[in-house]
Amino acid sequence: MIKRLYPATFTLLLLFSASLILTTTAEPDSGFCDGKCKIRCSKAGVKDRCLKYCNLCCKECNCVPSGTYGNKDECPCYRDKYTGEGKRRRPKCP
């Protein structure tokens, strides 16, 4: 029984570790997001919150719209992220 499980377990472990490597290398480098988000949040009233959510969105979407406001059509993933539901639904990304 153990001899039969060993190859299957090894194969699953190998596939899992390969998927982790691909996931971590697919993210943009933090310098890209930091630079774009500093520009995006330069005129924000609450800069630390703006930078936090901009960086989260950048890492998920791999892009940040140009300028300090608007232009979200340049990055549909960034544009379409929302928090909450119903009346509380608000854009997640600044």
Side-chain angles (χ1 to χ4, degrees), residues 20-66:
L20 284 177
I21 291 169
L22 289 174
T23 303
T24 56
T25 57
E27 294 179 5
D29 62 0
S30 61
F32 170 80
C33 290
D34 287 342
K36 293 283 189 179
C37 288
K38 281 181 184 176
I39 294 168
R40 184 80 180 166
C41 297
S42 64
K43 294 184 180 179
V46 186
K47 286 188 178 158
D48 57 339
R49 188 182 319 160
C50 181
L51 288 169
K52 173 185 174 182
Y53 288 106
C54 181
N55 276 302
L56 286 172
C57 294
C58 177
K59 287 176 183 172
E60 289 179 30
C61 297
N62 209 9
C63 66
V64 175
S66 62

Side-chain angles (χ1 to χ4, degrees), residues 7-18:
T9 305
F10 179 74
T11 304
L12 288 174
L13 182 62
L14 185 64
L15 288 173
F16 178 72
S17 61

